[in-house]
Amino acid sequence: MRSPWFNKPFAILGPRPPISCLLLCFVCVLGLIAILGSTSSSVFDSVTPIPLPDVYSSYRRLKEQAAVDYLELRTISLGAGRQTELELCGREKENYVPCYNVSANLFAGFKDGEEFDRHCEISRQRERCLVRPPKDYKIPLRWPAGRDAIWSANVKITKDQFLSSGSLTKRLMLVEENQFAFHSEDGLVFDGLKDYSRQVAEMIGLGSDSEFLQAGVQSVLDIGCGFGIFGAHLVSLKLMPICIAAYEATGSQVQLALERGLPAMIGNFISRQLPYPPLSFDMVHCAQCGIVWDEKDGMLLIEVDRVLKPGGYFVLTSPASNPHGSSSNTKKRSTLTPTEEFSENICWNLIAQQDETFIWQKTVDVHCYKSRKHGALPLCNDVHNTPYYQPLMSCISGTTSNRWIPIQNRSSGPHLSSAELVGVQPEDFFEDSQVWRSALRNYWSLLSPIIFSDHPKRPGDEDPTPPYNMVRNVMDMNAQYGGLNAAMLEEKKLVWVMNVVPVRAPNTLPLILDRGFAGVMHDWCEPFPTYPRTYDMLHANGLLSHLSSERCAMMDLFLEMDRILRPEGWVIFSDKLGAIEMARALAMQIHWEARVIDLDNGSDQRLLVCQKPFMKK
């Protein structure tokens, strides 16, 4: 007997249809579903599934499903999901450095040494692929162990090349089975390095090299720095050395120095200015750096003068210019030849000469240039000079700058006086410092391994403190005042920062360098002058929004970041939501693990924290 609820539909719709009709309708519905399903699949088959991001509030691991769904829908609507993941480059590009291609430069007509210089305009189109690590690559040892021992497979220099590089170098390092082991600071030092450093200090009137900071020497441009031995010693004295050396296809000085955790970048004294403003360094050091200083009518020395601060020192140690058995007068004359003619023109004073080392000091008196003889080098018009690989100039720079302050009168350390905050409101500067103190604490918490583990934290658990030496070098890609660098120093992190100022951003690089930090000007539409796998962490605050109107493709920027980032290295983006959405999609294409962080402060700002995997193929 039928139940009353079963009879009601037929009272409304009429008599019950035959069973055959019901079966026919059922089959039709199944067919319609199959047709719609196939159509739907054809639409979405081309969409590569993208893992959902984890979104944290207040830097805690709490998922917000609404935000996750929103980001996923926005990613699909922007079409980013249709992009395929990029593949690894061939083995021949393991140590690939863009913009340095001698054969292409020669074909383009560059000569007289300019073919060895940086020419990004020659090879703007390049294959979009990920530069792979060498076959036997290993994660570098943490600082300070990594300063004294590096994995030989990580750098492009063989044991034979090392052993054939001369007796000086052989005393510099010890070769083990799979490592290059450097002398420890506590042990014996090759060829009296400590004696050499003390000698330089005494030549400028100090009791020992521990007094460099008291004499105003904080930053040192070390030209042709070998394998970073002198730079490592300066770091132990709490100075900031920056090694620059020409691009080398094998046996690179810059690559090896960076592998040791020392500040370095590719830089040439050939035909163009270095990407530093006038009055940048307290000391310029050249020990057997291979530069013929009297070339180009002294323009190379004028470039040294441009980057040297008032009262700064040029230290030249050149045994090659002193043949064995020659008299001391002959030695002095042969070494001084390239500088004697210019010392009066550029207002340098030879303050000391001992054995093979000569030291000149740049004048602190800006009126010196007005009292020079008739026909002396002219003064540059620095008003609109942006020193981004501009041609070398035969004029004196920096004499009209309000940064003309002798190094002996400058503040020591990152805390500048109001008079030294040129072009910056003091309240803006100090507010920026406070912001980065807070941000650094959050960053360090985010990088804790437990936050990125596969197991969610229990409510109430506190973040463990990450290792104090978990990263050694950081590139701040949009550094502004260097606030992140200063915060790391205050927190006593064993980190040095390469502070990069984009060429079209407000030029705060002079202020960064005056704080004693490492810094450089760079156009992020071009590759950065360094070797692959040379940075532990990249930080980009507002960079993506800044570059949104530029001519460069964002994918090229991400590929460049991947090239210079070490495997298992970190990237932190801080930007507006739209820029973070785009960055997350691009990060997934290059295999980065990416997580979006909601700051939970009601703003449009988000963080994107990424980690580069160690890909072995």
Side-chain angles (χ1 to χ4, degrees), residues 47 55 81-82 143 207 259 262 271 358 391-392 418 448 498:
V47 180
V55 180
R82 294 180 175 84
W143 181 273
E259 190 69 21
L262 303 172
S271 61
F358 300 82
L392 292 173
S418 298
S448 176
M498 179 61 76

Side-chain angles (χ1 to χ4, degrees), residues 222-275:
D222 193 9
I223 307 170
C225 53
F227 295 146
I229 298 299
F230 187 55
H233 180 67
L234 294 179
V235 166
S236 72
L237 299 174
K238 301 189 183 307
L239 273 62
M240 173 52 68
I242 300 180
C243 161
I244 63 167
Y247 168 74
E248 300 165 277
T250 60
S252 165
Q253 303 171 66
V254 169
Q255 185 186 37
L256 202 148
L258 284 164
E259 190 69 21
R260 297 186 64 194
L262 303 172
M265 61 177 287
I266 300 173
N268 289 348
F269 272 82
I270 298 178
S271 61
R272 301 184 182 187
Q273 293 180 348
L274 297 170

